Amino acid sequence: MRRKIEIKLINDKSKRYTTFTKRRKGLMKKAEEFCQISDSKAVFISFSGAGNCYCLGHPDVDTVLDCYLGGSSSTKEEEAPTEAERRIGDAVESGRWKEAVRGLGLDKLDQLHAELENITRRVSLAAESVNR
Amino acid sequence: MRRKIEIKLINDKSKRYTTFTKRRKGLMKKAEEFCQISDSKAVFISFSGAGNCYCLGHPDVDTVLDCYLGGSSSTKEEEAPTEAERRIGDAVESGRWKEAVRGLGLDKLDQLHAELENITRRVSLAAESVNR
DNA sequence: ATGGCTATTTATAACTC
DNA sequence: TGAGTTATAAATAGCCA
């Protein structure tokens, strides 16, 4: 069935798009795992032939691009939250995030589940290391 | 020999670095193949813990970054999510929610910790009850 | 297009030197 | 450390519903 293929441009348009989609999904999954497992700053951005943009970044796209482009904002501290940070912070404080979670699909929930276990562990560790 | 592993931060530093190197190589190989086979504009950039930068781009890094930075509003997902889904989905994908969490006080963290255990349990239960 | 389904290929975790 | 080895897990090319 499956055969080894040569890595060169696929000429057939529909086959190329199918492969683009399948491989992009695999690549982004691997990139996410890579970030979670090694805590590396990383970014992946891809444009389809139709011009659609697919991207992911850890801790986020802009932070990694800042590092790459030489920006000084590479070291994020607790000062000056971005719009996104403020938004999430508000959501956490108000409890509205619970509403949002209800709307997520299974794949997003899986992803969130994994992240939650990570952050739960991290929060526990951080809490233990604090004098109180 | 090889066993299935859970995707979470590897705590052991040397093991983490080994995995970082191996997975980064695999990822970059796949990214190159992806670009060659589908002629997608794509870029991958990663920073090691030591700050070393590894990157690749097709047709080249700067071209893709120009598309991303100057380009139109990026469609991160192909579906049409609700505002809530988009907000949380974006936060999960980018990892920015982790930044927001860092700004919370101890009492808020305690509260969040409890909520996380709840939602984690709920997600597990929901996942188990779904046919897949 | 979209989403499975294998038969294979490919990536890689654990191990060794 | 870094560079192989190998047994296993994961990705995916070609099909088809």
Side-chain angles (χ1 to χ4, degrees), chain A residues 8-10 20 23 33-34 36-37 40-47 53 57-60 84-85 88 98 100 103 108 110 113 116 118, chain B residues 8-10 20 23 33-34 36-37 40-47 75 85 88 91 93-96 98-99 113 115-116 120 124 132:
Chain A
K8 65 172 185 180
L9 183 65
I10 297 174
F20 169 81
R23 281 189 174 241
E33 290 186 355
F34 173 72
Q36 287 184 31
I37 213 169
S40 159
K41 280 193 243 184
V43 64
F44 175 75
I45 301 172
S46 164
F47 288 89
C53 175
H58 178 84
D60 61 77
E85 287 173 353
I88 302 299
K98 279 178 279 189
K108 281 272 186 288
D110 265 343
H113 186 191
L116 289 179
N118 271 339
Chain B
K8 66 175 185 179
L9 183 66
I10 297 174
F20 170 82
R23 282 189 172 243
E33 291 188 354
F34 173 71
Q36 288 181 36
I37 214 169
S40 160
K41 279 192 252 185
V43 64
F44 175 75
I45 301 171
S46 164
F47 288 89
T75 51
E85 281 179 313
I88 302 298
E93 281 194 1
S94 68
R96 272 169 296 179
K98 281 176 274 189
E99 300 297 327
H113 189 190
E115 302 249 28
L116 289 179
T120 300
S124 297
R132 31 178 179 178

Short mmCIF file of all heavy atoms in Angstrom, two decimals, chain A residues 8-10 20 23 33-34 36-37 40-47 53 57-60 84-85 88 98 100 103 108 110 113 116 118, chain B residues 8-10 20 23 33-34 36-37 40-47 75 85 88 91 93-96 98-99 113 115-116 120 124 132:
data_model
loop_
_atom_site.label_atom_id
_atom_site.label_comp_id
_atom_site.label_asym_id
_atom_site.label_seq_id
_atom_site.Cartn_x
_atom_site.Cartn_y
_atom_site.Cartn_z
N LYS A 8 10.04 15.54 -3.41
CA LYS A 8 10.09 16.59 -4.42
C LYS A 8 8.68 17.13 -4.59
O LYS A 8 7.71 16.52 -4.12
CB LYS A 8 10.61 16.02 -5.75
CG LYS A 8 9.68 15.00 -6.36
CD LYS A 8 10.13 14.60 -7.74
CE LYS A 8 9.10 13.67 -8.38
NZ LYS A 8 9.50 13.25 -9.72
N LEU A 9 8.57 18.26 -5.24
CA LEU A 9 7.28 18.91 -5.40
C LEU A 9 6.25 17.97 -6.02
O LEU A 9 6.50 17.35 -7.05
CB LEU A 9 7.42 20.16 -6.27
CG LEU A 9 6.15 20.99 -6.45
CD1 LEU A 9 5.70 21.58 -5.12
CD2 LEU A 9 6.35 22.05 -7.49
N ILE A 10 5.11 17.86 -5.37
CA ILE A 10 4.01 17.06 -5.92
C ILE A 10 3.28 17.91 -6.96
O ILE A 10 2.79 18.99 -6.64
CB ILE A 10 3.03 16.65 -4.80
CG1 ILE A 10 3.75 15.76 -3.79
CG2 ILE A 10 1.83 15.94 -5.39
CD1 ILE A 10 2.91 15.42 -2.58
N PHE A 20 -0.18 18.50 1.85
CA PHE A 20 0.09 19.72 2.62
C PHE A 20 -0.66 19.68 3.95
O PHE A 20 -0.09 19.91 5.01
CB PHE A 20 -0.34 20.96 1.82
CG PHE A 20 -0.34 22.24 2.63
CD1 PHE A 20 0.84 22.93 2.85
CD2 PHE A 20 -1.52 22.72 3.19
CE1 PHE A 20 0.85 24.09 3.61
CE2 PHE A 20 -1.52 23.88 3.95
CZ PHE A 20 -0.34 24.57 4.15
N ARG A 23 0.59 16.60 6.29
CA ARG A 23 1.92 16.84 6.85
C ARG A 23 1.95 18.05 7.76
O ARG A 23 2.66 18.08 8.76
CB ARG A 23 2.95 16.97 5.73
CG ARG A 23 3.37 15.62 5.17
CD ARG A 23 4.54 15.74 4.22
NE ARG A 23 5.02 14.44 3.80
CZ ARG A 23 6.25 14.00 4.04
NH1 ARG A 23 7.12 14.75 4.68
NH2 ARG A 23 6.61 12.81 3.64
N GLU A 33 4.42 19.19 20.74
CA GLU A 33 5.04 18.24 21.67
C GLU A 33 6.46 18.68 22.01
O GLU A 33 6.88 18.63 23.16
CB GLU A 33 5.07 16.84 21.05
CG GLU A 33 3.71 16.20 20.92
CD GLU A 33 3.82 14.76 20.45
OE1 GLU A 33 4.95 14.31 20.14
OE2 GLU A 33 2.81 14.08 20.38
N PHE A 34 7.17 19.10 20.97
CA PHE A 34 8.55 19.56 21.14
C PHE A 34 8.62 20.69 22.16
O PHE A 34 9.46 20.67 23.07
CB PHE A 34 9.09 20.01 19.79
CG PHE A 34 10.43 20.66 19.82
CD1 PHE A 34 11.58 19.91 20.05
CD2 PHE A 34 10.56 22.03 19.61
CE1 PHE A 34 12.83 20.51 20.07
CE2 PHE A 34 11.80 22.63 19.63
CZ PHE A 34 12.94 21.87 19.86
N GLN A 36 6.38 21.47 24.49
CA GLN A 36 5.95 21.06 25.83
C GLN A 36 7.01 20.22 26.52
O GLN A 36 7.23 20.34 27.72
CB GLN A 36 4.66 20.25 25.73
CG GLN A 36 3.44 21.09 25.40
CD GLN A 36 2.17 20.27 25.41
OE1 GLN A 36 2.06 19.31 26.16
NE2 GLN A 36 1.22 20.65 24.59
N ILE A 37 7.66 19.38 25.77
CA ILE A 37 8.56 18.41 26.36
C ILE A 37 9.93 19.01 26.69
O ILE A 37 10.58 18.60 27.64
CB ILE A 37 8.70 17.18 25.43
CG1 ILE A 37 8.89 15.92 26.25
CG2 ILE A 37 9.82 17.35 24.43
CD1 ILE A 37 8.77 14.66 25.43
N SER A 40 11.31 24.56 24.92
CA SER A 40 12.10 25.40 24.01
C SER A 40 11.25 26.55 23.50
O SER A 40 10.05 26.39 23.29
CB SER A 40 12.56 24.56 22.83
OG SER A 40 12.88 25.38 21.72
N LYS A 41 11.88 27.70 23.34
CA LYS A 41 11.19 28.77 22.61
C LYS A 41 11.21 28.40 21.15
O LYS A 41 12.27 28.18 20.57
CB LYS A 41 11.94 30.09 22.82
CG LYS A 41 11.63 30.76 24.13
CD LYS A 41 12.14 32.18 24.12
CE LYS A 41 13.21 32.37 25.18
NZ LYS A 41 13.69 33.75 25.29
N ALA A 42 10.07 28.29 20.55
CA ALA A 42 10.03 27.89 19.14
C ALA A 42 8.79 28.44 18.46
O ALA A 42 7.78 28.74 19.10
CB ALA A 42 10.04 26.37 19.04
N VAL A 43 8.90 28.60 17.15
CA VAL A 43 7.77 29.08 16.37
C VAL A 43 7.72 28.36 15.04
O VAL A 43 8.77 28.03 14.48
CB VAL A 43 7.87 30.61 16.16
CG1 VAL A 43 9.08 30.96 15.34
CG2 VAL A 43 6.61 31.16 15.50
N PHE A 44 6.52 28.07 14.59
CA PHE A 44 6.33 27.48 13.26
C PHE A 44 5.22 28.25 12.58
O PHE A 44 4.15 28.45 13.14
CB PHE A 44 5.97 26.01 13.36
CG PHE A 44 5.65 25.38 12.03
CD1 PHE A 44 6.67 25.08 11.13
CD2 PHE A 44 4.33 25.11 11.67
CE1 PHE A 44 6.38 24.51 9.90
CE2 PHE A 44 4.03 24.54 10.44
CZ PHE A 44 5.06 24.24 9.55
N ILE A 45 5.53 28.71 11.37
CA ILE A 45 4.54 29.46 10.59
C ILE A 45 4.52 28.88 9.19
O ILE A 45 5.57 28.63 8.59
CB ILE A 45 4.92 30.96 10.50
CG1 ILE A 45 5.01 31.58 11.89
CG2 ILE A 45 3.91 31.71 9.63
CD1 ILE A 45 5.55 33.00 11.89
N SER A 46 3.33 28.65 8.67
CA SER A 46 3.20 28.10 7.33
C SER A 46 2.07 28.77 6.59
O SER A 46 1.03 29.07 7.17
CB SER A 46 2.96 26.59 7.42
OG SER A 46 2.47 26.09 6.20
N PHE A 47 2.30 29.03 5.30
CA PHE A 47 1.24 29.58 4.46
C PHE A 47 0.86 28.56 3.41
O PHE A 47 1.71 28.01 2.72
CB PHE A 47 1.73 30.85 3.75
CG PHE A 47 1.89 32.03 4.67
CD1 PHE A 47 3.09 32.26 5.32
CD2 PHE A 47 0.83 32.90 4.87
CE1 PHE A 47 3.24 33.35 6.17
CE2 PHE A 47 0.97 33.99 5.72
CZ PHE A 47 2.18 34.21 6.37
N CYS A 53 -2.74 31.24 6.71
CA CYS A 53 -1.59 31.18 7.60
C CYS A 53 -1.88 30.28 8.80
O CYS A 53 -2.91 30.40 9.45
CB CYS A 53 -1.25 32.59 8.08
SG CYS A 53 0.06 32.65 9.31
N GLY A 57 3.41 28.99 18.43
CA GLY A 57 4.64 29.45 19.07
C GLY A 57 4.62 29.17 20.56
O GLY A 57 3.56 29.09 21.16
N HIS A 58 5.79 29.00 21.11
CA HIS A 58 5.91 28.78 22.54
C HIS A 58 7.04 29.63 23.07
O HIS A 58 8.14 29.53 22.55
CB HIS A 58 6.18 27.32 22.85
CG HIS A 58 6.37 27.04 24.31
ND1 HIS A 58 5.32 26.85 25.16
CD2 HIS A 58 7.48 26.96 25.06
CE1 HIS A 58 5.77 26.65 26.38
NE2 HIS A 58 7.07 26.71 26.36
N PRO A 59 6.87 30.49 24.06
CA PRO A 59 5.61 30.67 24.76
C PRO A 59 4.53 31.32 23.90
O PRO A 59 3.36 31.11 24.15
CB PRO A 59 5.97 31.57 25.93
CG PRO A 59 7.23 32.23 25.54
CD PRO A 59 7.95 31.32 24.62
N ASP A 60 4.90 32.10 22.93
CA ASP A 60 3.94 32.56 21.93
C ASP A 60 4.72 33.05 20.72
O ASP A 60 5.92 33.31 20.80
CB ASP A 60 3.02 33.66 22.47
CG ASP A 60 3.79 34.87 22.91
OD1 ASP A 60 4.21 35.65 22.03
OD2 ASP A 60 4.02 35.04 24.12
N ALA A 84 -3.22 40.12 25.33
CA ALA A 84 -3.64 38.74 25.50
C ALA A 84 -3.55 38.32 26.96
O ALA A 84 -4.46 37.70 27.50
CB ALA A 84 -2.78 37.81 24.64
N GLU A 85 -2.45 38.68 27.60
CA GLU A 85 -2.26 38.31 28.99
C GLU A 85 -3.35 38.92 29.87
O GLU A 85 -3.91 38.25 30.73
CB GLU A 85 -0.90 38.79 29.50
CG GLU A 85 0.25 37.97 28.96
CD GLU A 85 1.58 38.58 29.33
OE1 GLU A 85 1.58 39.71 29.89
OE2 GLU A 85 2.61 37.95 29.08
N ILE A 88 -6.64 37.07 29.38
CA ILE A 88 -6.70 35.77 30.05
C ILE A 88 -6.77 35.96 31.55
O ILE A 88 -7.52 35.29 32.24
CB ILE A 88 -5.47 34.91 29.69
CG1 ILE A 88 -5.41 34.71 28.18
CG2 ILE A 88 -5.53 33.57 30.40
CD1 ILE A 88 -6.60 34.00 27.61
N LYS A 98 -14.50 29.31 32.47
CA LYS A 98 -15.24 28.06 32.55
C LYS A 98 -16.29 27.98 31.44
O LYS A 98 -16.52 26.93 30.85
CB LYS A 98 -15.90 27.93 33.93
CG LYS A 98 -14.92 27.43 34.98
CD LYS A 98 -15.55 27.35 36.33
CE LYS A 98 -15.56 28.74 36.98
NZ LYS A 98 -15.97 28.70 38.38
N ALA A 100 -16.06 29.43 28.56
CA ALA A 100 -15.37 29.25 27.29
C ALA A 100 -14.98 27.79 27.09
O ALA A 100 -15.10 27.25 25.99
CB ALA A 100 -14.12 30.12 27.23
N GLY A 103 -17.21 25.32 25.31
CA GLY A 103 -17.40 25.38 23.86
C GLY A 103 -16.31 24.67 23.08
O GLY A 103 -16.38 24.62 21.86
N LYS A 108 -9.17 20.06 21.24
CA LYS A 108 -8.74 21.20 22.06
C LYS A 108 -8.78 20.82 23.53
O LYS A 108 -7.90 21.20 24.31
CB LYS A 108 -9.63 22.40 21.80
CG LYS A 108 -9.30 23.13 20.52
CD LYS A 108 -8.24 24.19 20.76
CE LYS A 108 -8.01 25.02 19.51
NZ LYS A 108 -7.29 24.27 18.49
N ASP A 110 -8.35 17.85 24.79
CA ASP A 110 -7.21 16.98 25.04
C ASP A 110 -5.96 17.81 25.30
O ASP A 110 -5.20 17.59 26.23
CB ASP A 110 -6.96 16.06 23.84
CG ASP A 110 -7.65 14.72 24.04
OD1 ASP A 110 -8.01 14.43 25.19
OD2 ASP A 110 -7.81 14.00 23.06
N HIS A 113 -6.18 19.63 28.47
CA HIS A 113 -6.00 18.68 29.58
C HIS A 113 -4.51 18.49 29.88
O HIS A 113 -4.07 18.58 31.02
CB HIS A 113 -6.66 17.36 29.19
CG HIS A 113 -6.67 16.35 30.30
ND1 HIS A 113 -7.01 15.04 30.10
CD2 HIS A 113 -6.38 16.46 31.61
CE1 HIS A 113 -6.93 14.39 31.23
NE2 HIS A 113 -6.56 15.24 32.18
N LEU A 116 -3.06 21.53 31.38
CA LEU A 116 -3.53 21.74 32.76
C LEU A 116 -2.72 20.90 33.73
O LEU A 116 -2.37 21.36 34.82
CB LEU A 116 -5.01 21.39 32.87
CG LEU A 116 -5.97 22.36 32.20
CD1 LEU A 116 -7.41 21.90 32.35
CD2 LEU A 116 -5.81 23.76 32.77
N ASN A 118 0.29 19.93 33.35
CA ASN A 118 1.59 20.57 33.46
C ASN A 118 1.55 21.75 34.42
O ASN A 118 2.37 21.85 35.33
CB ASN A 118 2.07 21.05 32.09
CG ASN A 118 2.85 19.98 31.36
OD1 ASN A 118 3.36 19.06 31.99
ND2 ASN A 118 2.94 20.09 30.06
N LYS B 8 5.10 15.84 28.45
CA LYS B 8 5.15 16.90 29.46
C LYS B 8 6.62 17.25 29.66
O LYS B 8 7.51 16.52 29.23
CB LYS B 8 4.53 16.43 30.77
CG LYS B 8 5.30 15.32 31.43
CD LYS B 8 4.72 14.98 32.79
CE LYS B 8 5.59 13.94 33.48
NZ LYS B 8 5.06 13.60 34.81
N LEU B 9 6.84 18.37 30.31
CA LEU B 9 8.20 18.84 30.48
C LEU B 9 9.08 17.77 31.12
O LEU B 9 8.72 17.20 32.15
CB LEU B 9 8.21 20.10 31.36
CG LEU B 9 9.59 20.74 31.55
CD1 LEU B 9 10.11 21.28 30.24
CD2 LEU B 9 9.52 21.83 32.60
N ILE B 10 10.22 17.50 30.50
CA ILE B 10 11.19 16.56 31.06
C ILE B 10 12.00 17.30 32.12
O ILE B 10 12.66 18.30 31.82
CB ILE B 10 12.12 16.02 29.96
CG1 ILE B 10 11.32 15.24 28.92
CG2 ILE B 10 13.22 15.16 30.56
CD1 ILE B 10 12.13 14.79 27.72
N PHE B 20 15.64 17.41 23.30
CA PHE B 20 15.56 18.65 22.52
C PHE B 20 16.31 18.51 21.21
O PHE B 20 15.79 18.82 20.13
CB PHE B 20 16.14 19.82 23.33
CG PHE B 20 16.33 21.08 22.53
CD1 PHE B 20 15.28 21.94 22.31
CD2 PHE B 20 17.58 21.40 21.99
CE1 PHE B 20 15.43 23.11 21.56
CE2 PHE B 20 17.76 22.56 21.24
CZ PHE B 20 16.67 23.40 21.03
N ARG B 23 14.66 15.65 18.84
CA ARG B 23 13.37 16.06 18.29
C ARG B 23 13.50 17.27 17.39
O ARG B 23 12.79 17.40 16.38
CB ARG B 23 12.36 16.32 19.41
CG ARG B 23 11.78 15.05 19.99
CD ARG B 23 10.63 15.32 20.94
NE ARG B 23 9.97 14.08 21.34
CZ ARG B 23 8.70 13.80 21.06
NH1 ARG B 23 7.96 14.64 20.41
NH2 ARG B 23 8.18 12.65 21.44
N GLU B 33 11.21 18.70 4.35
CA GLU B 33 10.47 17.86 3.43
C GLU B 33 9.11 18.48 3.10
O GLU B 33 8.69 18.50 1.94
CB GLU B 33 10.25 16.47 4.03
CG GLU B 33 11.52 15.65 4.16
CD GLU B 33 11.21 14.24 4.60
OE1 GLU B 33 10.04 13.94 4.89
OE2 GLU B 33 12.14 13.42 4.64
N PHE B 34 8.48 19.00 4.13
CA PHE B 34 7.18 19.64 3.98
C PHE B 34 7.24 20.77 2.96
O PHE B 34 6.41 20.88 2.06
CB PHE B 34 6.72 20.17 5.34
CG PHE B 34 5.47 20.99 5.32
CD1 PHE B 34 4.24 20.40 5.09
CD2 PHE B 34 5.54 22.35 5.55
CE1 PHE B 34 3.08 21.16 5.09
CE2 PHE B 34 4.38 23.12 5.55
CZ PHE B 34 3.16 22.53 5.32
N GLN B 36 9.55 21.25 0.62
CA GLN B 36 9.91 20.77 -0.72
C GLN B 36 8.74 20.09 -1.41
O GLN B 36 8.53 20.25 -2.61
CB GLN B 36 11.07 19.78 -0.63
CG GLN B 36 12.39 20.43 -0.30
CD GLN B 36 13.52 19.42 -0.25
OE1 GLN B 36 13.53 18.47 -1.01
NE2 GLN B 36 14.45 19.62 0.66
N ILE B 37 7.98 19.33 -0.66
CA ILE B 37 6.95 18.50 -1.26
C ILE B 37 5.68 19.29 -1.56
O ILE B 37 4.96 18.97 -2.51
CB ILE B 37 6.66 17.30 -0.33
CG1 ILE B 37 6.31 16.08 -1.16
CG2 ILE B 37 5.61 17.62 0.69
CD1 ILE B 37 6.27 14.82 -0.33
N SER B 40 5.14 25.00 0.24
CA SER B 40 4.54 25.93 1.17
C SER B 40 5.58 26.93 1.65
O SER B 40 6.74 26.59 1.84
CB SER B 40 3.98 25.16 2.38
OG SER B 40 3.82 26.03 3.48
N LYS B 41 5.14 28.17 1.81
CA LYS B 41 6.01 29.11 2.50
C LYS B 41 5.95 28.77 3.98
O LYS B 41 4.87 28.73 4.57
CB LYS B 41 5.52 30.54 2.29
CG LYS B 41 5.93 31.14 0.97
CD LYS B 41 5.68 32.63 0.94
CE LYS B 41 4.52 32.94 0.04
NZ LYS B 41 4.29 34.40 -0.15
N ALA B 42 7.07 28.48 4.55
CA ALA B 42 7.05 28.09 5.96
C ALA B 42 8.36 28.45 6.64
O ALA B 42 9.41 28.58 6.00
CB ALA B 42 6.80 26.59 6.10
N VAL B 43 8.28 28.62 7.96
CA VAL B 43 9.47 28.94 8.73
C VAL B 43 9.39 28.23 10.08
O VAL B 43 8.30 28.04 10.63
CB VAL B 43 9.60 30.47 8.94
CG1 VAL B 43 8.43 30.99 9.77
CG2 VAL B 43 10.91 30.81 9.62
N PHE B 44 10.54 27.76 10.51
CA PHE B 44 10.63 27.17 11.85
C PHE B 44 11.84 27.75 12.54
O PHE B 44 12.94 27.77 11.99
CB PHE B 44 10.75 25.65 11.77
CG PHE B 44 10.96 24.99 13.10
CD1 PHE B 44 9.90 24.85 14.00
CD2 PHE B 44 12.21 24.51 13.47
CE1 PHE B 44 10.09 24.25 15.24
CE2 PHE B 44 12.40 23.90 14.71
CZ PHE B 44 11.34 23.78 15.59
N ILE B 45 11.61 28.24 13.75
CA ILE B 45 12.70 28.83 14.53
C ILE B 45 12.63 28.26 15.94
O ILE B 45 11.55 28.18 16.52
CB ILE B 45 12.57 30.37 14.62
CG1 ILE B 45 12.59 31.00 13.22
CG2 ILE B 45 13.67 30.95 15.49
CD1 ILE B 45 12.25 32.48 13.22
N SER B 46 13.78 27.85 16.45
CA SER B 46 13.81 27.30 17.80
C SER B 46 15.04 27.79 18.55
O SER B 46 16.12 27.93 17.96
CB SER B 46 13.81 25.77 17.71
OG SER B 46 14.21 25.22 18.95
N PHE B 47 14.85 28.07 19.85
CA PHE B 47 15.98 28.45 20.69
C PHE B 47 16.20 27.39 21.75
O PHE B 47 15.25 26.97 22.42
CB PHE B 47 15.69 29.79 21.39
CG PHE B 47 15.72 30.97 20.47
CD1 PHE B 47 14.57 31.36 19.80
CD2 PHE B 47 16.90 31.66 20.25
CE1 PHE B 47 14.60 32.46 18.93
CE2 PHE B 47 16.93 32.75 19.39
CZ PHE B 47 15.79 33.15 18.73
N THR B 75 -5.18 33.64 9.78
CA THR B 75 -6.23 32.71 10.19
C THR B 75 -5.55 31.51 10.81
O THR B 75 -4.98 30.70 10.11
CB THR B 75 -7.06 32.25 8.99
OG1 THR B 75 -6.17 31.78 7.99
CG2 THR B 75 -7.88 33.36 8.44
N GLU B 85 -14.37 30.47 21.99
CA GLU B 85 -13.47 29.41 21.54
C GLU B 85 -12.18 30.00 21.01
O GLU B 85 -11.10 29.49 21.28
CB GLU B 85 -14.12 28.59 20.42
CG GLU B 85 -15.12 27.58 20.90
CD GLU B 85 -15.74 26.83 19.74
OE1 GLU B 85 -16.14 27.49 18.76
OE2 GLU B 85 -15.81 25.60 19.81
N ILE B 88 -9.98 31.38 24.01
CA ILE B 88 -9.31 30.35 24.78
C ILE B 88 -8.39 29.51 23.89
O ILE B 88 -7.26 29.19 24.27
CB ILE B 88 -10.33 29.44 25.49
CG1 ILE B 88 -11.23 30.27 26.39
CG2 ILE B 88 -9.60 28.36 26.30
CD1 ILE B 88 -10.50 30.99 27.49
N ALA B 91 -5.25 31.27 23.30
CA ALA B 91 -4.44 31.30 24.51
C ALA B 91 -3.75 29.96 24.72
O ALA B 91 -2.57 29.89 25.05
CB ALA B 91 -5.29 31.65 25.72
N GLU B 93 -3.12 27.64 22.42
CA GLU B 93 -2.14 27.38 21.36
C GLU B 93 -0.86 28.16 21.57
O GLU B 93 0.22 27.65 21.37
CB GLU B 93 -2.72 27.74 19.99
CG GLU B 93 -3.64 26.67 19.46
CD GLU B 93 -3.91 26.88 18.00
OE1 GLU B 93 -3.37 27.84 17.42
OE2 GLU B 93 -4.68 26.08 17.45
N SER B 94 -1.01 29.40 21.94
CA SER B 94 0.18 30.25 22.02
C SER B 94 0.93 30.07 23.32
O SER B 94 2.09 30.38 23.40
CB SER B 94 -0.24 31.72 21.88
OG SER B 94 -0.98 32.10 23.02
N GLY B 95 0.23 29.56 24.32
CA GLY B 95 0.90 29.42 25.61
C GLY B 95 0.88 30.69 26.42
O GLY B 95 1.45 30.75 27.51
N ARG B 96 0.21 31.73 25.90
CA ARG B 96 0.24 33.01 26.60
C ARG B 96 -0.47 32.97 27.94
O ARG B 96 -0.20 33.76 28.83
CB ARG B 96 -0.40 34.10 25.72
CG ARG B 96 0.58 34.76 24.79
CD ARG B 96 -0.15 35.60 23.78
NE ARG B 96 -1.00 34.76 22.94
CZ ARG B 96 -1.78 35.21 21.99
NH1 ARG B 96 -1.85 36.47 21.73
NH2 ARG B 96 -2.50 34.37 21.27
N LYS B 98 -0.10 30.92 30.16
CA LYS B 98 0.86 30.61 31.20
C LYS B 98 1.51 31.88 31.73
O LYS B 98 1.79 32.00 32.92
CB LYS B 98 1.93 29.64 30.68
CG LYS B 98 1.43 28.22 30.62
CD LYS B 98 2.43 27.29 30.02
CE LYS B 98 2.29 27.28 28.51
NZ LYS B 98 3.11 26.22 27.89
N GLU B 99 1.74 32.83 30.81
CA GLU B 99 2.31 34.10 31.23
C GLU B 99 1.37 34.79 32.20
O GLU B 99 1.80 35.34 33.22
CB GLU B 99 2.57 35.00 30.03
CG GLU B 99 3.51 34.44 28.99
CD GLU B 99 4.91 34.22 29.56
OE1 GLU B 99 5.34 35.00 30.44
OE2 GLU B 99 5.55 33.27 29.12
N HIS B 113 -5.72 26.51 41.34
CA HIS B 113 -5.29 25.13 41.48
C HIS B 113 -6.49 24.21 41.71
O HIS B 113 -6.65 23.18 41.05
CB HIS B 113 -4.29 25.04 42.65
CG HIS B 113 -3.62 23.71 42.76
ND1 HIS B 113 -2.86 23.35 43.83
CD2 HIS B 113 -3.60 22.65 41.93
CE1 HIS B 113 -2.40 22.13 43.66
NE2 HIS B 113 -2.83 21.68 42.50
N GLU B 115 -9.61 24.81 41.03
CA GLU B 115 -10.46 24.80 39.83
C GLU B 115 -9.87 23.90 38.75
O GLU B 115 -10.58 23.19 38.05
CB GLU B 115 -10.59 26.22 39.28
CG GLU B 115 -11.15 27.19 40.27
CD GLU B 115 -12.55 27.65 39.90
OE1 GLU B 115 -13.29 26.89 39.23
OE2 GLU B 115 -12.90 28.76 40.26
N LEU B 116 -8.55 23.93 38.64
CA LEU B 116 -7.88 23.12 37.61
C LEU B 116 -8.10 21.64 37.87
O LEU B 116 -8.33 20.86 36.95
CB LEU B 116 -6.38 23.43 37.58
CG LEU B 116 -6.00 24.79 37.04
CD1 LEU B 116 -4.49 24.99 37.10
CD2 LEU B 116 -6.49 24.98 35.62
N THR B 120 -9.87 19.35 35.23
CA THR B 120 -9.12 18.21 34.73
C THR B 120 -9.92 16.93 34.89
O THR B 120 -10.03 16.12 33.96
CB THR B 120 -7.79 18.07 35.51
OG1 THR B 120 -7.04 19.26 35.34
CG2 THR B 120 -6.98 16.89 35.01
N SER B 124 -11.45 14.58 31.83
CA SER B 124 -11.17 13.15 31.75
C SER B 124 -12.46 12.36 31.62
O SER B 124 -12.59 11.48 30.78
CB SER B 124 -10.44 12.69 33.01
OG SER B 124 -9.19 13.32 33.12
N ARG B 132 -14.56 6.97 20.33
CA ARG B 132 -13.62 7.41 19.31
C ARG B 132 -12.79 6.28 18.78
O ARG B 132 -12.91 5.17 19.15
CB ARG B 132 -12.67 8.47 19.80
CG ARG B 132 -12.29 8.43 21.28
CD ARG B 132 -11.32 9.53 21.48
NE ARG B 132 -10.85 9.68 22.83
CZ ARG B 132 -9.97 10.58 23.17
NH1 ARG B 132 -9.50 11.39 22.28
NH2 ARG B 132 -9.56 10.70 24.40
#
